[in-house]
Amino acid sequence: MLRTLIVDDEFWMLEGLKKVIKRDCPQFTVTAAARDGAQALEWLERESFDLVITDIRMPKMDGLQLLQEMRALGKTIPVLIFSAYSDFDYAKQAIHYGAFDYILKPINRSEIRAALNRIETMLTAQGHQREALVAVTPEQPLQGKQVIEAMQKLIQSEYMHDLSIVAIADKLGYNSAYLSRLFKQESGVGFLQYLTEYRLKVAVQLMENKGFSITEIARQVGYADYKHFRKVFKQYKGTSPSEYIEK
């Protein structure tokens, strides 16, 4: 079950969403509800969730502020935003802070079902790998293969972000040049090649679902620039993303 937190200051909306999700998307379960963004952050500090569904306009802290705070705290779980406001600026800000989707009210059941199915596909592709690695300490040194396994787990859980060998070296407490050499020695491929191939593997899984645009897929696997994603995809797969989908 995919644990879901819903956030809305209108009681009828909270109850309506619970019923729709339970009836149409049983793979998700609403385990908590909040009446504003501040209350939602309290829930997020206490419990783990796979998805946050939030309204835009709320007292104390609105949906955009909630999304911004979540990203600042390093919480990368998908956020689905509902709004009665069609103002493009709202949608632009939501996408800027990494919202999964922005859906206008009034919402029909088919829209909710389609969005949640796409989110489930994305979470499945990611393998639900969000657990942080145990920090390496002098008392518990890792051997060569263990270091590589730790690096691979970090790549598999953080590939959607701007990831570098330097960032991973900082997390694991090693010199980046040493890790780069060790990674290639133990795995047979360079760090960047492994990261790229893993990102493209997830991208292909998302393409097979056919519920995402190519731009969305690029963003979800760590490429903010679609043109760069297209270039890398063609280099590794021998065809462009759109051609691959057609085939």
Side-chain angles (χ1 to χ4, degrees), residues 150-238:
M151 291 177 69
Q152 290 172 340
K153 286 181 180 178
L154 268 174
I155 290 170
Q156 291 164 16
S157 63
E158 301 289 334
Y159 67 87
M160 68 292 294
H161 302 302
D162 185 11
L163 198 59
S164 69
I165 189 72
V166 174
I168 288 184
D170 287 343
K171 285 191 177 185
L172 297 180
Y174 284 89
N175 176 273
S176 60
Y178 165 75
L179 277 191
S180 180
R181 290 194 302 270
L182 181 64
F183 192 91
K184 188 160 189 177
Q185 177 184 324
E186 293 287 343
S187 66
V189 297
F191 165 79
L192 183 58
Q193 182 179 342
Y194 184 92
L195 171 62
T196 301
E197 289 178 350
Y198 190 84
R199 283 173 165 170
L200 296 182
K201 176 184 174 182
V202 176
V204 167
Q205 291 174 337
L206 295 174
M207 288 175 182
E208 289 173 351
N209 177 257
K210 298 183 180 179
F212 300 95
S213 70
I214 298 175
T215 303
E216 286 176 323
I217 292 172
R219 180 166 55 86
Q220 289 174 27
V221 298
Y223 292 92
D225 183 351
Y226 165 71
K227 290 183 179 179
H228 181 52
F229 169 71
R230 185 181 185 280
K231 180 180 178 181
V232 172
F233 191 95
K234 190 166 186 177
Q235 178 183 347
Y236 276 79
K237 299 295 183 181

Side-chain angles (χ1 to χ4, degrees), residues 87-125:
D87 190 330
F88 176 72
D89 188 53
Y90 280 117
K92 183 178 179 181
Q93 289 183 65
I95 296 302
H96 174 73
Y97 290 118
F100 181 84
D101 206 348
Y102 184 98
I103 300 178
L104 291 176
K105 293 179 178 179
I107 302 160
N108 60 53
R109 289 168 55 184
S110 63
E111 283 183 305
I112 296 175
R113 185 167 56 248
L116 293 187
N117 284 340
R118 289 193 295 124
I119 289 171
E120 181 189 17
T121 299
M122 183 186 72
L123 292 175
T124 300

Side-chain angles (χ1 to χ4, degrees), residues 15-83:
E15 293 303 308
L17 273 175
K18 287 180 185 178
K19 291 178 181 177
V20 170
I21 292 171
K22 183 176 181 180
R23 181 175 57 233
D24 294 350
C25 304
Q27 67 273 37
F28 291 85
T29 179
V30 177
T31 55
R35 302 300 292 270
D36 57 61
Q39 195 177 88
L41 283 178
E42 293 176 2
W43 274 111
L44 287 163
E45 289 175 0
R46 294 195 300 266
E47 297 186 18
S48 62
F49 297 91
D50 298 293
L51 169 66
V52 172
I53 300 176
T54 182
D55 189 21
I56 281 276
R57 288 286 184 93
M58 295 179 293
K60 294 186 180 179
M61 181 185 292
D62 66 26
L64 289 177
Q65 290 174 305
L66 168 61
L67 178 57
Q68 187 175 1
E69 287 293 326
M70 286 176 61
R71 298 313 185 226
L73 292 170
K75 297 185 182 298
T76 60
I77 62 176
V79 176
L80 181 61
I81 290 183
F82 292 160
S83 177

